[in-house]
Amino acid sequence: VIRCRAAVAWAVGKPLSVEEVEVAPPKAGEVRIKMVATGICHTDEHTLKGSFPNVEFPVILGHEGAGIVESIGEGVTSVKPGDKVIPLCLPQCGECSFCLNPESNFCQKSHISEPQNLLPDKTTRFTCKGKQVHHFLWVSTFAEYTVVPEYAVAKIDAAAPLDKVCLLGCGFSTGYGAAINTAKVKPGSTCAIFGLGGVGLSVVMGCKAAGASRIIAVDINKDKFAKAKELGATNCINPRDFKKPIQEVITEMTGQGVDYSFEAIGHAETLVGGISA
């Protein structure tokens, strides 16, 4: 058992509390990771606000991180102690019908199919003050050590800077993958991105890599425009600078609307605007 620090969410609506926790060793098919870096995704904040009813408290949140394998359980072959890894909030067992289908990336062992408040054997590796603490998406990167199933771990290059590649665990992959894998943006096309947070900026990068000729970045915070242009945006517009709906502005700018539209905010009105654009 390792004693370390973790940010524990004791209940909905209460702030995270840094506590000493006990992290049990990995069982068969599990990997214990020393977390070196973690990103902070708005999903964690949504969970704290109670927006995800299937999450059980107390819980250690965080699902976007990178670390080093500390120890492995019986039968683990894909990683060894000392390997740099990224824990996966969307696992890849490689065996279920979804993993074997090239059109899908939702493993049947993911949180889409079953709750991930406990590890697959329905027990937790975390305790604090004598109480059981739940896992979050089998990842829980807000702890200095965490335990995850082997199929929720990706080994990465030994030279990778963990403080940067931690963002591959969720935000970057979500945005970049939306452009490259989901939309399959074509060279010479036009794109609009609503929201320039971590996911939206990653969409910008994906659209540029795909060869889009025009990339229109939309946000109400003009302070984000410089970074968006640095990453590939050709136009940056603020809806508050116009009296008409922003989708009408985009239609006028392009003549007929864009070929691809990405909504990286999560609001109904921006979803509607993205579709209209």
Side-chain angles (χ1 to χ4, degrees):
V1 174
I2 290 178
R3 288 177 174 80
C4 66
R5 294 176 301 168
V8 179
W10 289 104
V12 170
K14 291 189 176 181
L16 299 177
S17 176
V18 177
E19 308 276 6
E20 182 179 86
V21 300
E22 295 81 41
V23 185
K27 295 184 180 180
E30 297 176 354
V31 178
R32 185 160 62 181
I33 303 168
K34 178 182 180 181
M35 296 306 306
V36 175
T38 183
I40 300 173
C41 178
H42 212 91
T43 298
D44 303 307
E45 175 68 11
H46 285 315
T47 304
L48 271 180
K49 291 180 178 178
S51 300
F52 294 92
N54 292 329
V55 175
E56 295 185 37
F57 290 77
V59 60
I60 296 174
L61 298 174
H63 60 284
E64 183 180 78
I68 300 170
V69 175
E70 178 272 335
S71 58
I72 58 176
E74 180 183 352
V76 172
T77 59
S78 63
V79 295
K80 63 183 184 304
D83 284 345
K84 286 186 176 181
V85 295
I86 293 175
L88 308 174
C89 57
L90 283 175
Q92 190 79 8
C93 75
E95 299 175 349
C96 70
S97 61
F98 281 48
C99 284
L100 296 175
N101 185 340
E103 300 301 319
S104 170
N105 68 331
F106 282 140
C107 175
Q108 287 180 294
K109 295 179 180 178
S110 76
H111 61 91
I112 304 298
S113 302
E114 61 180 79
Q116 294 184 2
N117 300 311
L118 299 170
L119 290 181
D121 70 351
K122 306 307 178 187
T123 63
T124 178
R125 302 294 167 268
F126 297 126
T127 55
C128 182
K129 299 179 180 178
K131 295 182 178 179
Q132 169 180 284
V133 179
H134 294 89
H135 294 250
F136 182 59
L137 306 183
W138 289 342
V139 180
S140 295
T141 61
F142 290 177
E144 291 179 320
Y145 287 85
T146 189
V147 178
V148 303
E150 180 182 13
Y151 46 76
V153 179
K155 180 180 176 180
I156 59 174
D157 193 297
L162 297 178
D163 62 333
K164 294 180 174 61
V165 299
C166 64
L167 300 176
L168 294 174
C170 178
F172 175 79
S173 301
T174 299
Y176 193 87
I180 300 295
N181 298 327
T182 306
K184 295 180 174 62
V185 171
K186 302 293 191 299
S189 61
T190 58
C191 303
I193 297 96
F194 291 77
L196 299 175
V199 173
L201 289 174
S202 298
V203 176
V204 171
M205 296 170 70
C207 291
K208 180 181 179 181
S213 62
R214 196 169 189 186
I215 302 171
I216 302 170
V218 183
D219 202 290
I220 60 174
N221 182 355
K222 61 179 177 24
D223 293 340
K224 297 180 178 181
F225 290 168
K227 177 60 70 174
K229 288 182 177 179
E230 179 185 332
L231 296 176
T234 57
N235 304 87
C236 292
I237 54 177
N238 185 339
R240 291 178 174 172
D241 292 339
F242 303 91
K243 293 182 179 180
K244 62 181 68 175
I246 198 64
Q247 56 266 33
E248 294 183 17
V249 175
I250 292 174
T251 300
E252 291 176 0
M253 290 173 62
T254 58
Q256 60 181 11
V258 295
D259 300 309
Y260 304 94
S261 182
F262 301 85
E263 198 277 346
I265 301 170
H267 290 164
E269 58 267 32
T270 45
L271 282 168
V272 171
I275 293 170
S276 299

